Amino acid sequence: MTNIAILTGRIARDPDTRETKGGTNVTGITVVTDRPARDKDGKTYNDENGYTAKESEFHRVTCFNGLAKTVGQYCSKGQLVSVQGRIHYTQWEDKDGVTRYGTEILADKVDFLSRANGGDNQDAPPID
């Protein structure tokens, strides 16, 4: 059995990088993907500008260790990336005792499909 997720989309906001008490680097990004919007009959339709209407989905992606450092250093909002990893589900209780659930992608690989917006990232890994 295999748990593989592959996403290609744009980063919704600048990466959030931190270090755990144990010294592990962790970086979180949100990747936005689009798909054609459908009406109640399941058909695609055009927006007011004549383009196929789209629905966006926001995916939480978490990177660890060296990948976390690289993504945190060289990625920024609006950058096109491809993420390969696995789907991970979490469960916790909030401060009011309510059980909450979450889903994220634990990244194994992040490919930069465009340069970061703004800033100087000449030392960034090459784009394939």
Side-chain angles (χ1 to χ4, degrees), residues 31-43:
V31 176
V32 182
T33 59
D34 295 325
R35 60 187 172 90
R38 299 193 179 271
D39 63 18
K40 64 181 179 178
D41 298 321
K43 296 181 180 179

Side-chain angles (χ1 to χ4, degrees), residues 40-54:
K40 64 181 179 178
D41 298 321
K43 296 181 180 179
T44 60
Y45 60 93
N46 292 340
D47 62 16
E48 61 276 358
N49 297 317
Y51 297 103
T52 301
K54 304 241 184 248

Side-chain angles (χ1 to χ4, degrees), residues 52-120:
T52 301
K54 304 241 184 248
E55 292 179 347
S56 297
E57 295 180 324
F58 293 76
H59 310 274
R60 286 185 0 195
V61 176
T62 303
C63 308
F64 295 96
N65 301 315
L67 181 60
K69 287 176 99 172
T70 302
V71 168
Q73 183 175 0
Y74 297 115
C75 289
S76 66
K77 178 180 177 179
Q79 185 173 0
L80 185 63
V81 294
S82 177
V83 176
Q84 295 180 34
R86 65 184 176 90
I87 301 170
H88 178 72
Y89 300 98
T90 55
Q91 176 182 333
W92 70 95
E93 280 191 21
D94 68 11
K95 63 182 179 181
D96 298 323
V98 176
T99 302
R100 301 286 183 173
Y101 301 91
T103 305
E104 64 186 324
I105 305 300
L106 300 182
D108 295 320
K109 181 179 179 184
V110 176
D111 290 323
F112 304 157
L113 304 179
S114 69
R115 293 278 183 203
N117 294 332
D120 180 25

